[in-house]
Amino acid sequence: MEAKSSDLKLLGGWFSPFVTRVKIALNIKGLEYENIEEDLNSKSDLLLRSNPVHKKIPVLIHGDKPICESLIILQYIDEVWSNAPSILPQDAYDRAIATFWVSYIDDKLLLCMRNILMAFEDEEKRKPHFEQLEEEILVKLEKAFGKCSEEKPFFGGSKVGLVDIVFGSFLPSLRVLEEMNGKKVLANDKFPGLVNWATNFIANSAVTGTLPEIDKLALFCKALRQKWVTAKAAAK
């Protein structure tokens, strides 16, 4: 099934790793789409109608059908345009393994990065979260991704797949944390497998042009942190 640009609309934001996932998936499938940038401080009526439960991005609108949540959108894209390169593994066991690592990344890595961002002005509060990132989370991911090779440059094999997209969407955020904290995270001496995989991922044609600029994202993250701090203080 081919999709014209008028058939697919993506409601998103350049800063969101979850939106980035959808963009990469659409690129893998070679699909044209209309990219609609949302202002989360003044959400559009289209977004509120399309995702009335969570009122969040991303939302993919296929014809007049809205699909919400990045992982659900990726699965939808893979199933509807099944004749293009697969995103989810075809083998049931491989798909189960991929789903496990996706859950681990979204549960552990995302929370840890948020905790670091919230504490970036306090070294003592920041330290245990960085330790968790470097000594637990990335160590486990290094073992999982460290098996990549020239013949199998990505987690799922020779092509970018589900786990690559999910972890890869957080690479800019990791770079921002490095910039803001003056501390290297993905160091080649500690995580050579992840560094090699990240190089392959960023260079992939489906990824090119989808990742946000680090300086621009850093400014956004600082503003977001201030918003969180203000909201937390107001709730006391």
Side-chain angles (χ1 to χ4, degrees):
M1 179 189 298
E2 294 297 325
K4 299 178 181 179
S5 57
S6 59
D7 294 332
L8 284 173
K9 295 181 176 65
L10 175 60
L11 310 185
W14 62 268
F15 50 84
S16 170
F18 304 102
V19 174
T20 296
R21 296 175 181 183
V22 180
K23 290 180 178 179
I24 294 171
L26 291 168
N27 289 344
I28 288 174
K29 298 293 186 176
L31 298 170
E32 295 182 355
Y33 63 97
E34 180 183 355
N35 183 57
I36 301 175
E37 288 283 321
E38 285 285 338
D39 179 359
L40 299 188
N41 293 316
S42 180
K43 298 176 182 179
S44 71
D45 289 339
L46 180 58
L47 174 59
L48 297 177
R49 290 197 311 270
S50 301
N51 190 357
V53 176
H54 297 300
K55 302 178 177 62
K56 297 193 302 184
I57 55 174
V59 177
L60 181 70
I61 302 176
H62 184 196
D64 60 354
K65 299 178 293 187
I67 305 98
C68 308
E69 300 293 324
S70 64
L71 296 180
I72 296 173
I73 295 172
L74 262 58
Q75 182 178 356
Y76 179 87
I77 291 172
D78 204 36
E79 291 179 355
V80 172
W81 292 279
S82 57
N83 58 320
S86 296
I87 296 171
L88 277 71
Q90 298 301 298
D91 178 78
Y93 179 75
D94 290 341
R95 193 160 58 249
I97 296 299
T99 302
F100 169 85
W101 283 112
V102 164
S103 178
Y104 181 84
I105 291 166
D106 274 357
D107 289 345
K108 291 285 189 176
L109 180 62
L110 178 59
L111 178 59
C112 185
M113 290 195 301
R114 176 171 175 148
N115 288 337
I116 292 173
L117 179 61
M118 285 293 292
F120 88 93
E121 291 183 343
D122 189 323
E123 184 176 355
E124 286 303 311
K125 290 182 179 179
R126 191 172 66 231
K127 184 177 178 181
H129 300 305
F130 252 112
E131 289 177 350
Q132 181 191 22
L133 178 63
E134 295 181 298
E135 298 175 15
E136 176 190 337
I137 296 172
L138 291 180
V139 168
K140 288 181 170 61
L141 291 174
E142 170 70 16
K143 291 179 180 178
F145 283 79
K147 300 175 183 177
C148 297
S149 62
E150 289 186 11
E151 296 77 22
K152 182 188 172 186
F154 304 108
F155 185 92
S158 60
K159 297 179 181 178
V160 170
L162 178 65
V163 182
D164 303 293
I165 294 172
V166 169
F167 184 38
S169 68
F170 288 130
L171 286 177
S173 301
L174 285 171
R175 286 286 311 281
V176 166
L177 293 181
E178 291 178 342
E179 295 281 337
M180 293 173 66
N181 292 278
K183 183 176 178 64
K184 190 71 174 175
V185 175
L186 285 182
N188 192 58
D189 58 335
K190 291 188 67 175
F191 307 111
L194 286 178
V195 171
N196 182 57
W197 165 83
T199 300
N200 294 331
F201 179 80
I202 293 171
N204 188 267
S205 59
V207 178
T208 303
T210 65
L211 302 180
E213 297 177 10
I214 303 305
D215 291 344
K216 186 178 178 182
L217 184 61
L219 291 174
F220 175 85
C221 288
K222 289 177 182 178
L224 180 63
R225 179 194 177 276
Q226 186 57 50
K227 185 177 179 180
W228 288 343
V229 170
T230 302
K232 186 176 180 180
K236 290 183 179 180

